[in-house]
Amino acid sequence: MRKKIVAGNWKMNKTLDEAVALVSEVVNMIKDEVTGEVNVVLCPPALYLTTLKPYLEGQTRVALGAQNCHEKASGAYTGEISAPMLKSLGVRYVILGHSERRQYFGETNAQLAEKVNIALANGLTPIFCCGESLEQRQTEVHLDFVRAQLTESLFHLSPEQFASIVIAYEPIWAIGTGLTATSDQAQEMHAMLRQHIASQYGQEVADNTSILYGGSANEKNAAELFAQPDVDGGLIGGASLKSREFTLVVKGVKN
């Protein structure tokens, strides 16, 4: 069975003291309150990974993730962070292709294919983001657009490699806007993604691929979104910055 996953993307938020307090609170709340089979991933700013790692040691359901990595293993890339560096810290997941990386830093599908390769080569699980703008949805090209993101960045992988991929669908028009895709809209896109994966890798691989929803998911709408048959959890932004809200989102996952 595919995994249920809720990942918290802290983005560029929190001071070090605030980050320590948040991770400590989340770990304790998850341990005390969450009974379902759900995997939690915390993705703080890279600057804090070393400091926060000890708080997650020995945890069976909370793992450490990074928000990005470079497509090269090493080199003269000032300010960048490589997959081998993340591996050496005990990081298990890495978010790749977030819409903000695509929009603000010009990341392309071809570049993301390289990032996926280097992440997998270093034993990291990519959380691969895909999603459309409001204009693309309104002009009804959103399904083709998102299909192309997967095809161009992931479909060079072998079935064995693809089995390590987590997909995160994030409607760009719902990120940080307070807007959220309806549960029906989320289900439509997630079902299409699973069908597209099946067309390349077969139904078994598709059925075992975790597909998360990202886009202003919070404690009020998480349970309804996660109840959809093809929604396997969430990639959570703003709601991951408060321990109580994030824990309530995690508790929205039903097995």
Side-chain angles (χ1 to χ4, degrees):
M1 290 181 62
R2 58 185 180 260
K3 293 180 180 178
K4 300 286 188 178
I5 301 170
V6 177
N9 178 15
W10 295 6
K11 306 188 180 182
M12 195 176 71
N13 291 293
K14 300 296 183 182
T15 64
L16 178 58
D17 288 345
E18 291 169 343
V20 168
L22 179 56
V23 75
S24 180
E25 291 169 5
V26 168
V27 166
N28 286 323
M29 289 181 181
I30 298 298
K31 181 175 63 176
D32 294 342
E33 301 177 27
V34 177
T35 57
E37 293 296 323
V38 54
N39 296 273
V40 176
V41 183
L42 300 181
C43 302
L47 192 64
Y48 304 151
L49 290 169
T50 301
T51 301
L52 299 184
K53 177 185 175 183
Y55 291 87
L56 302 184
E57 289 179 350
Q59 300 297 320
T60 58
R61 65 169 62 194
V62 186
L64 194 60
Q67 297 178 18
N68 183 41
C69 74
H70 197 271
E71 62 267 29
K72 302 297 183 183
S74 63
Y77 303 102
T78 300
E80 292 294 328
I81 297 166
S82 72
M85 292 175 184
L86 296 177
K87 179 183 179 181
S88 73
L89 291 178
V91 171
R92 291 173 52 191
Y93 292 81
V94 59
I95 300 170
L96 297 178
H98 192 281
S99 61
E100 291 158 0
R101 296 293 312 178
R102 295 175 187 264
Q103 178 181 354
Y104 302 139
F105 302 98
E107 292 188 357
T108 65
N109 291 339
Q111 182 182 10
L112 290 169
E114 293 185 55
K115 290 193 176 196
V116 167
N117 290 344
I118 196 76
L120 291 174
N122 284 277
L124 303 175
T125 297
I127 301 176
F128 179 82
C129 300
C130 57
E132 83 282 4
S133 67
L134 184 59
E135 179 183 2
Q136 288 163 336
R137 176 166 282 271
Q138 290 175 335
T139 55
E140 299 186 353
V141 300
H142 55 295
L143 297 178
D144 288 339
F145 180 80
V146 175
R147 267 192 289 260
Q149 289 180 313
L150 262 66
T151 299
E152 295 175 18
S153 295
L154 299 179
F155 280 10
H156 65 286
L157 300 173
S158 69
E160 293 75 21
Q161 290 174 313
F162 192 89
S164 297
I165 299 291
V166 174
I167 306 293
Y169 165 61
E170 42 164 23
I172 298 170
W173 46 272
I175 297 175
T177 63
L179 298 173
T180 308
T182 66
S183 56
D184 288 342
Q185 287 173 323
Q187 170 58 24
E188 176 193 37
M189 183 63 81
H190 283 233
M192 182 281 292
L193 288 167
R194 206 172 301 284
Q195 291 166 3
H196 190 47
I197 294 166
S199 72
Q200 176 74 10
Y201 294 105
Q203 196 62 51
E204 183 178 358
V205 171
D207 286 343
N208 286 300
T209 299
S210 298
I211 306 179
L212 315 182
Y213 173 80
S216 295
N218 54 51
E219 75 278 12
K220 296 178 181 178
N221 58 34
E224 180 182 351
L225 287 164
F226 298 166
Q228 299 304 306
D230 287 294
V231 179
D232 303 311
L235 177 60
I236 311 301
S240 72
L241 299 175
K242 296 181 180 180
S243 55
R244 173 51 56 198
E245 289 185 20
F246 185 64
T247 301
L248 289 171
V249 170
V250 174
K251 292 168 76 172
V253 174
K254 305 299 181 185
N255 297 94

